[in-house]
Structures are given as C-alpha cells and as structure tokens.
Amino acid sequence: MLLWLATITPGEFPHRGKDHLQLRWVTADDVATLSWLTGDRQIIPTMQQLLTR
C-alpha cells in the first residue's frame, strides 16, 4: 500500500475520489478503528506515527 500525506491549502476543499464511498478526517487513534482489508492493516502503526508528529 502506498501512503500519501498532504496538507490542504487554505480556502480549498478536498474531494472524494471516484473509487471511495466517503472522505473524512480521523485522528491517529481513530485510524485503527476504520474498516481495513486484512492485508492493509500492517500500515496502521506507520500512519499513526506520521499523524502524531
């Protein structure tokens, strides 16, 4: 899985891609509560670490 980090430019709004049902902000703690495919769960610790910097 590739992981992309981004920041939002003030005044701009992110848009949900056509391949996803929803777009929402979550905290580092919330990442583990999302519905992940089994093979993708291995990236959770890395995401949590990056989100708490």
Side-chain angles (χ1 to χ4, degrees), residues 34-52:
L34 300 175
S35 179
W36 291 92
L37 295 173
T38 302
D40 292 341
R41 293 190 67 76
Q42 63 187 340
I43 200 146
I44 292 172
T46 301
M47 290 179 70
Q48 289 173 317
Q49 182 181 24
L50 290 169
L51 291 170
T52 55

Side-chain angles (χ1 to χ4, degrees), residues 3-44:
L3 178 61
W4 300 91
L5 296 178
T7 56
I8 298 175
T9 303
E12 296 289 324
F13 298 96
H15 298 281
R16 176 183 52 85
K18 63 182 178 181
D19 296 330
H20 300 284
L21 298 176
Q22 64 177 223
L23 171 70
R24 62 184 165 136
W25 297 115
V26 296
T27 66
D29 292 333
D30 292 335
V31 169
T33 68
L34 300 175
S35 179
W36 291 92
L37 295 173
T38 302
D40 292 341
R41 293 190 67 76
Q42 63 187 340
I43 200 146
I44 292 172

